[in-house]
């Protein structure tokens, strides 16, 4: 009996020792994602989860160069209508199914033809594909598409297990099966998403955690308090107002990168009955709202000047910014004149939905106060972020404070939001001239030609204003000092290759 106890204790100590070395990385996020299906989803925080769950055909460097990932290389034919990609031969999906050219063909077809896919506009140029062999696929385009490789660096390039996706259909997001460094373990809505290390990952030696847990904590103050208390190991989107506090904390480190995206107010101009409002039917009201906002003051009040004021899908320092339309100065008199021209001398009421976190709420409270001086009376409706997006998609909104994390290619910040039938065109904005310009911009590999078309489209959009752009943010991460190897990227993703944590 004594021998049994001794052996039992030894086994227990061995097991306990093993548990000590099993590392879980805990990441605090600003929101909970929507559905975990790359073809259906649209949230920024969902993409953060995918960075650990679903590898893509290609990736980017911190300098925004496109590099191989599941694809080892690619080449175009002379007229840019055929793309031949070679693939890794050492990759399996989380369910053990092989990754090969047949799997890429399946994923292209799903992104393009799955009824619920939001990737349709991103791969609309793809006409057909041919599986040449296990590691080679040839993709034929209806016309040249300068954006396609960049699309493959995001959700359109994330590879799902064909077997799992076929079996699950539209319920795939309940148990996603991809080919990334971690496998899906569990999700409890508004509480946590847990992933576990995938032993057969082709780059397993670069992954130093046994699991990663994503915890939605909308309140920035609470998120930081959890990091300081040791309940988190890192957090995304540190509030700009907390930067000095973190920089002076010996137990924490901070990383940052300028975002590729924007924040703004999306207006319902044609998405169901709730578009039938003064701000939805009359662009003069939308332009009046824009003129009522002091964007520089907004940046100073909410972000202590850390972000950049903006009025386009691209920040003012971007080569794609249309300099003919600089960030406007606030002009309350001009805003009032536009309202009067629209027959609204007595003012206008506008309901704006906003995510239930302190930062976005403060943004809209500042906008609310500014707009009121021009006669635009904004009422705010706070919603959990995934609910806000669902209502926005369904047309159950008048206006929505929402942003976009940005893409490497300029097309990714404008096409799917502004073209008729675009995958994330929740305004249901439609202008044939804008459609033509943005579709033609995809056809050229000439930067000057593309810039001219984007400039022409932006000139129209300045008048129509289905989105009132506000600012461009800087991604700021805070980490426990025990975490090392994290590299900040302009796309805001958290890539865990090479990241480690000391005991």
């Amino acid at each position: 009996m004594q021998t049994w106890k001794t052996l039992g204790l030894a086994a227990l100590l061995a097991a306990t020792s093993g548990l000590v070395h099993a590392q879980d990385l805990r990441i605090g996020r600003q929101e909970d994602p929507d559905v975990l299906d790359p073809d259906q989803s649209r949230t920024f925080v969902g993409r953060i989860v995918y960075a650990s769950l679903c590898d893509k055909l290609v990736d980017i460097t911190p300098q925004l160069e496109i590099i191989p990932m599941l694809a080892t290389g690619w080449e175009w034919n002379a007229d840019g209508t055929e793309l031949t990609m070679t693939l890794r031969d050492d990759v399996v999906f989380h369910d053990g199914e092989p990754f090969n050219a047949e799997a890429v063909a399946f994923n292209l077809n799903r992104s393009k033809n799955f009824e619920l896919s939001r990737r349709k506009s991103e791969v609309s140029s793809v006409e057909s594909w041919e599986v040449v062999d296990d590691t080679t696929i040839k993709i034929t385009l209806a016309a040249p598409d300068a954006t396609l490789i960049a699309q493959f660096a995001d959700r359109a390039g994330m590879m799902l297990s064909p077997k799992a996706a076929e079996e699950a259909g539209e319920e795939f997001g309940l148990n996603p099966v991809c080919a990334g460094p971690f496998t899906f373990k569990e999700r409890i809505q508004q509480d946590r998403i847990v992933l576990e290390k995938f032993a057969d990952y082709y780059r397993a030696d670069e992954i130093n955690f046994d699991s990663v847990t994503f915890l939605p904590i909308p309140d920035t103050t609470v998120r930081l308090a959890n990091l300081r208390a040791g309940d988190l190991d890192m957090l995304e989107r540190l509030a700009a107002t907390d930067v000095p506090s973190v920089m002076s904390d010996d137990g924490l480190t901070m990383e940052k990168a300028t975002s590729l995206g924007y924040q703004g107010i999306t207006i319902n101009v044609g998405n169901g009955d709730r578009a039938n409002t003064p701000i939805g039917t009359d662009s003069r009201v939308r332009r009046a709202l824009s003129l009522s906002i002091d964007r520089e003051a907004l940046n100073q009040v909410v972000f202590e000047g850390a972000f950049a004021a903006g009025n386009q899908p691209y920040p003012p320092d971007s080569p794609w910014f249309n300099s003919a339309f600089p960030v406007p100065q606030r002009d309350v008199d001009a805003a009032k004149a536009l309202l009067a021209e629209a027959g609204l001398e007595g003012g206008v009421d506008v309901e704006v939905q906003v995510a239930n976190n302190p930062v976005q709420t403060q943004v809209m409270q500042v906008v609310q106060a500014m707009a009121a001086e021009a006669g635009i009376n904004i009422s705010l409706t706070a919603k959990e972020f995934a609910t806000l997006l669902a209502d926005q998609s369904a047309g159950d909104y008048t206006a929505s404070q929402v942003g976009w994390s940005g893409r490497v290619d300029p097309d990714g910040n404008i096409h799917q939001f502004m073209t008729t039938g675009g995958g994330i065109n929740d305004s249901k904005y439609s202008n044939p001239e804008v459609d033509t310009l943005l579709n033609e911009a995809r056809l050229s590999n000439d930067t000057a030609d593309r810039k001219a078309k984007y400039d022409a489209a932006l000139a129209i959009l300045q008048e129509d204003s289905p989105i009132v752009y506000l600012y461009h943010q800087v991604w700021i991460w805070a980490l426990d000092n025990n975490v090392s190897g994290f590299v900040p990227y302009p796309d805001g993703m958290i890539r865990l290759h090479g990241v480690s944590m000391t005991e």
Side-chain angles (χ1 to χ4, degrees):
M1 183 67 71
Q2 182 63 41
T3 303
W4 180 89
K5 285 183 178 179
T6 303
L7 290 174
L9 178 60
L12 178 62
L13 288 172
T16 303
S17 175
L19 288 174
V20 168
H21 296 288
Q23 287 192 325
D24 175 47
L25 184 71
R26 300 157 301 173
I27 301 174
R29 301 165 308 164
Q30 186 162 294
E31 300 109 5
D32 200 35
D34 57 353
V35 59
L36 291 178
D37 179 341
D39 281 324
Q40 297 187 58
S41 65
R42 57 176 296 174
T43 57
F44 171 69
V45 285
R47 292 173 63 222
I48 292 177
V49 175
Y50 294 143
S52 294
L53 184 66
C54 301
D55 275 11
K56 305 162 292 189
L57 290 173
V58 298
D59 201 6
I60 63 170
T61 68
Q63 295 74 39
L64 303 180
E65 300 170 297
I66 295 177
I67 57 174
M69 198 171 199
L70 293 175
T72 59
W74 53 90
E75 61 181 16
W76 293 95
N77 69 346
D79 66 1
T81 58
E82 284 186 0
L83 171 66
T84 301
M85 304 192 86
T86 54
L87 311 171
R88 297 187 68 104
D89 62 2
D90 56 350
V91 179
V92 294
F93 291 103
H94 297 152
D95 58 0
E97 292 293 303
F99 166 75
N100 51 31
E102 289 283 0
V104 176
F106 173 88
N107 277 272
L108 283 171
N109 182 65
R110 190 174 192 266
S111 292
K112 190 174 178 66
N113 297 312
F114 178 40
E115 183 181 358
L116 300 178
S117 173
R118 292 184 179 275
R119 311 281 80 84
K120 291 177 182 178
S121 65
E122 298 169 16
V123 295
S124 60
S125 62
V126 175
E127 188 173 68
S128 61
W129 44 84
E130 176 191 350
V131 174
V132 179
D133 55 42
D134 277 355
T135 59
T136 311
I137 187 164
K138 182 183 291 185
I139 302 169
T140 301
L141 311 186
D145 182 357
T147 76
L148 187 61
I149 293 295
Q151 304 289 12
F152 289 157
D154 197 13
R155 282 174 289 212
M158 294 177 186
M159 295 290 103
L160 321 181
S161 163
K163 179 181 177 182
E166 277 192 324
E167 290 176 354
E170 64 182 61
E171 302 298 323
F172 177 83
L174 297 176
N175 184 26
V177 180
C178 298
F182 293 87
T183 65
F184 179 80
K185 180 182 179 182
E186 68 170 344
R187 177 179 190 176
I188 300 174
Q189 296 279 353
Q190 305 304 318
D191 183 75
R192 65 183 180 272
I193 293 171
V194 182
L195 310 181
E196 292 183 323
K197 184 176 180 179
F198 180 42
D200 294 327
Y201 183 54
Y202 63 99
R203 296 167 62 186
D205 59 334
E206 300 176 45
I207 303 302
N208 299 307
F209 300 102
D210 298 287
S211 61
V212 56
T213 300
F214 298 95
L215 301 154
I217 307 173
D219 191 304
T220 54
T221 302
V222 174
R223 205 155 63 243
L224 179 55
N226 274 261
L227 178 64
R228 284 194 162 116
D231 296 322
L232 296 174
D233 302 303
M234 67 181 299
L235 60 82
E236 57 97 10
R237 277 178 286 180
L238 177 74
T241 51
D242 287 326
V243 167
S245 172
V246 169
M247 291 184 69
S248 64
D249 191 325
D250 292 339
L252 301 177
T253 58
M254 189 184 76
E255 299 285 355
K256 62 181 181 178
T258 301
S259 164
L260 301 171
Y262 62 82
Q263 288 284 329
I265 302 173
T266 296
I267 314 295
N268 185 348
V269 302
N271 194 349
D273 293 341
R274 294 198 63 182
N276 296 320
T277 63
I279 198 168
T281 58
D282 196 326
S283 67
R284 291 170 294 188
V285 181
R286 301 192 288 274
R287 283 183 278 136
L289 172 60
S290 181
L291 285 169
S292 75
I293 301 167
D294 186 330
R295 290 164 170 82
E296 293 293 350
L298 175 67
N299 180 34
Q300 291 295 331
V301 169
V302 182
F303 305 112
E304 297 189 354
F307 293 173
N311 67 324
Q312 297 179 32
Y314 319 112
D317 62 355
S318 167
W320 302 102
F321 186 84
N322 187 340
S323 58
F325 301 96
V327 178
Q329 298 293 312
R330 188 185 191 216
D331 193 334
V332 174
D333 289 339
K336 289 180 177 178
L338 280 170
L339 291 182
E341 188 180 316
L344 298 167
E345 295 91 340
V348 61
D349 296 333
V350 179
E351 180 189 0
V352 181
Q353 61 174 8
V354 61
N356 62 342
N357 69 69
V359 174
Q360 306 316 128
T361 298
Q362 188 181 5
V363 165
M364 280 312 305
Q365 287 171 340
V366 173
V367 170
Q368 184 183 46
M370 292 176 176
E373 295 180 18
I376 301 172
N377 306 308
I378 293 177
S379 61
L380 300 178
T381 301
K383 296 181 180 180
E384 186 275 321
F385 188 60
T387 300
L388 177 148
L389 289 180
D391 289 348
Q392 189 175 297
S393 297
D396 189 13
Y397 79 109
T398 299
S400 183
Q401 197 289 296
V402 69
W404 181 244
S405 55
R407 297 296 183 267
V408 176
D409 190 276
D411 177 271
N413 278 23
I414 189 170
H415 188 281
Q416 57 193 332
F417 298 95
M418 296 300 179
T419 52
T420 304
I424 316 181
N425 183 354
D426 292 337
S427 289
K428 292 296 185 279
Y429 171 75
S430 180
N431 183 314
E433 190 174 357
V434 170
D435 290 350
T436 298
L437 288 165
L438 295 183
N439 287 331
E440 288 181 349
R442 286 183 157 187
L443 302 179
S444 175
N445 285 308
D446 184 283
T447 299
D449 180 56
R450 295 187 77 197
K451 177 68 163 63
K453 289 181 169 60
Y454 288 127
D455 280 352
L458 287 167
I460 297 169
L461 293 168
Q462 288 292 305
E463 288 294 309
D464 292 351
S465 296
I467 296 178
V468 176
Y469 299 97
L470 298 175
Y471 63 91
H472 305 273
Q473 66 194 97
V474 173
W475 303 126
I476 310 175
W477 297 267
L479 306 91
D480 187 280
N481 269 348
N482 290 332
V483 178
S484 62
F486 174 71
V487 178
Y489 280 69
D491 63 359
M493 297 300 100
I494 297 173
R495 292 166 172 83
L496 295 180
H497 299 81
V499 179
S500 61
M501 184 167 59
T502 57
E503 292 287 347

